[in-house]
Amino acid sequence: MRLSELFPAREIPSAVADARVSRVDIDSRQVGEGSVFFALPGGTVNGATFIDQALCAGATYVVAQEGAVSDHERVLQLPTNELWAELANASYRIVGDPQRELDMVGVTGTNGKTSVATFVTSLLRYLGRDAATIGTLTHVRTTPEAPELARTMRAYLSEWQPEPVHPAVALEVSSHALDQHRVDGLVFDVAVFTNLSHDHLDYHETMDRYLAAKATLFTPERSRHAVVWNDGEWSEKLLSMATTTATVLEPDSLGVVEASIG
């Protein structure tokens, strides 16, 4: 893919616009010929520190936060609020936008993500569909960063037949991933909420902030339908915040109640 095709909405200098690129990286140690390196700001380390290292390692282009370097024809500098969206778009575009060929289920909650995602995959396989789980059992992080996630989805598709029905991926979606933009650019066919309990407060600080991170999955921009396990206070609060139409599972009756939200 040409660099100008990877960033169709950006003005790319003519000297590099036709350069061929083959992957997106956020770790300068993985950069090689044909890489586009996103120098992301971080909590402890700023990726801008590694721009020169990435270029020396063969990176074709770098995308960084505004003010990272002086003018450089091989460095695109963006406002912080545009950086993450551009990373997601580039990560999926460079591997052929695999979500167009997949049905996607996103599972979030303090407990049960791995079990539910595994159950979904097993049921789909039982029904004769190609399916896989991405999460705690398959990757170092519960939810991989966008470049790794995009490459994983494309790798699965290379092994599957997309017809007569789409294959499926069940993805564990952590609150950290939602807060850190790792699933930006994805729209899930179904988003699942399992529960919320006291955990990860070293990161989110309060339960309300923890829930707010989870709730961002349950919007039309991120999911087409929701399934919510209604086990009490936090599920009810989530339902009051969500704007995606949901199916509510009631544990007392084991029944299913349709609820239109929003």
Side-chain angles (χ1 to χ4, degrees):
M1 173 178 286
R2 291 182 175 86
L3 188 61
S4 58
E5 295 171 329
L6 185 62
F7 300 105
R10 304 290 177 180
E11 291 187 13
I12 306 299
S14 57
V16 293
D18 288 333
R20 292 284 179 175
V21 290
S22 56
R23 59 183 284 130
V24 169
D25 289 301
I26 60 173
D27 185 337
S28 61
R29 294 168 297 183
Q30 298 176 350
V31 166
E33 296 291 334
S35 289
V36 175
F37 173 58
F38 275 75
L40 302 176
T44 56
V45 179
N46 191 331
T49 306
F50 303 101
I51 289 176
D52 288 339
Q53 178 182 324
L55 290 170
C56 289
T60 301
Y61 205 56
V62 173
V63 183
Q65 193 175 23
E66 274 185 338
V69 296
S70 57
D71 288 344
H72 193 304
E73 68 177 10
R74 292 173 62 193
V75 180
L76 172 64
Q77 299 186 70
L78 300 175
T80 304
N81 63 342
E82 296 180 21
L83 193 58
W84 303 101
E86 199 66 75
L87 171 63
N89 291 336
S91 296
Y92 296 110
R93 186 175 291 124
I94 205 163
V95 296
D97 199 10
Q99 69 172 313
R100 293 183 304 173
E101 303 168 58
L102 290 165
D103 288 335
M104 299 196 62
V105 178
V107 184
T108 197
T110 305
N111 300 303
K113 292 189 295 295
T114 302
S115 296
V116 171
T118 302
F119 293 155
V120 168
T121 297
S122 296
L123 286 168
L124 288 168
R125 288 175 176 172
Y126 178 78
L127 294 172
R129 294 183 63 178
D130 288 319
T133 301
I134 299 174
T136 304
L137 300 180
T138 62
H139 288 76
V140 174
R141 286 184 169 180
T142 298
T143 312
E145 296 279 5
E148 183 181 5
L149 183 53
R151 289 193 287 266
T152 300
M153 291 160 59
R154 176 51 61 192
Y156 281 133
L157 280 167
S158 69
E159 301 172 3
W160 295 337
Q161 295 296 325
E163 302 294 342
V165 295
H166 282 181
V169 164
L171 174 67
E172 293 183 53
V173 183
S174 69
S175 57
H176 290 67
L178 289 160
D179 191 57
Q180 296 170 7
H181 306 279
R182 290 184 224 156
V183 293
D184 284 11
L186 295 178
V187 181
F188 294 92
D189 296 284
V190 179
V192 179
F193 178 80
T194 60
N195 52 54
L196 198 77
S197 61
H198 288 77
D199 203 352
H200 303 306
L201 297 187
D202 57 326
Y203 180 85
H204 295 290
E205 297 183 346
T206 68
M207 288 294 288
D208 285 333
R209 289 180 63 180
Y210 184 19
L211 180 67
K214 298 285 192 189
T216 61
L217 183 60
F218 299 90
T219 66
E221 293 77 25
R222 283 218 166 123
S223 58
R224 298 184 176 92
H225 193 84
V227 175
V228 177
W229 179 249
N230 187 14
D231 68 346
E233 174 189 6
W234 296 109
S235 297
E236 292 172 1
K237 286 185 176 182
L238 177 82
L239 288 167
S240 71
M241 299 167 69
T243 52
T244 302
T245 300
T247 296
V248 182
L249 302 182
E250 301 287 353
D252 292 339
S253 62
L254 297 180
V256 177
V257 179
E258 291 287 345
S260 180
I261 300 169

